[in-house]
Amino acid sequence: MRSAFKHPQLYSDTIRFHKCYWLAHQHLPKAFRLTTGEQILREITTCLGCVAAANFVNKNDAGERRRAAGHLLLLRERLEVIRAFLILAWELQALSHAALADLNGRLDELGKQA
């Protein structure tokens, strides 16, 4: 029988990243916010799903662990997509240098955990 489901630190940190981005998202220019900004939010949602799916597998089964590794690989890919979008926002001057630095630091931490 499985033990009670518990989210790892990675999930909590992804939630914190979402909150941090959400604050920046509110101040993006409308055109960027409604296009690329919304895509960033979708990518973060995908990241949350990857973390939850990876954590849900049976860690005692080798096949399930490989499946979890696949979820974590997808998570790392999506984090790099988010980073690319954030750099684009910064280059278009939609995102401040300080906000980019903060969000990039958080992405680095998420990537290390994954």
Side-chain angles (χ1 to χ4, degrees):
M1 185 170 171
R2 287 187 175 187
S3 60
F5 183 78
K6 182 177 179 243
H7 288 295
Q9 183 67 38
L10 179 58
Y11 185 84
S12 300
D13 289 349
T14 305
I15 293 286
R16 278 192 216 98
F17 176 77
H18 190 290
K19 289 178 182 178
C20 183
Y21 173 74
W22 180 255
L23 293 174
H25 179 82
Q26 300 304 307
H27 302 288
L28 293 172
K30 186 175 182 177
F32 190 89
R33 186 177 67 240
L34 295 177
T35 56
T36 308
E38 292 295 322
Q39 182 63 34
I40 293 170
L41 290 172
R42 282 190 291 279
E43 293 292 345
I44 296 170
T45 302
T46 299
C47 291
L48 286 169
C50 289
V51 173
N55 191 51
F56 188 73
V57 303
N58 180 359
K59 274 73 169 185
N60 295 323
D61 181 274
E64 291 282 303
R65 286 194 305 271
R66 280 191 297 279
R67 200 175 80 166
H71 290 301
L72 293 176
L73 180 60
L74 178 60
L75 169 64
R76 291 179 63 202
E77 290 171 3
R78 303 301 11 142
L79 292 173
E80 289 307 311
V81 170
I82 292 168
R83 186 183 317 273
F85 286 145
L86 293 175
I87 292 170
L88 173 64
W90 177 75
E91 288 180 358
L92 294 173
Q93 299 179 345
L95 191 64
S96 72
H97 185 73
L100 176 65
D102 181 40
L103 291 166
N104 254 338
R106 291 172 187 268
L107 282 173
D108 288 342
E109 288 302 313
L110 292 172
K112 287 177 188 174
Q113 289 181 52

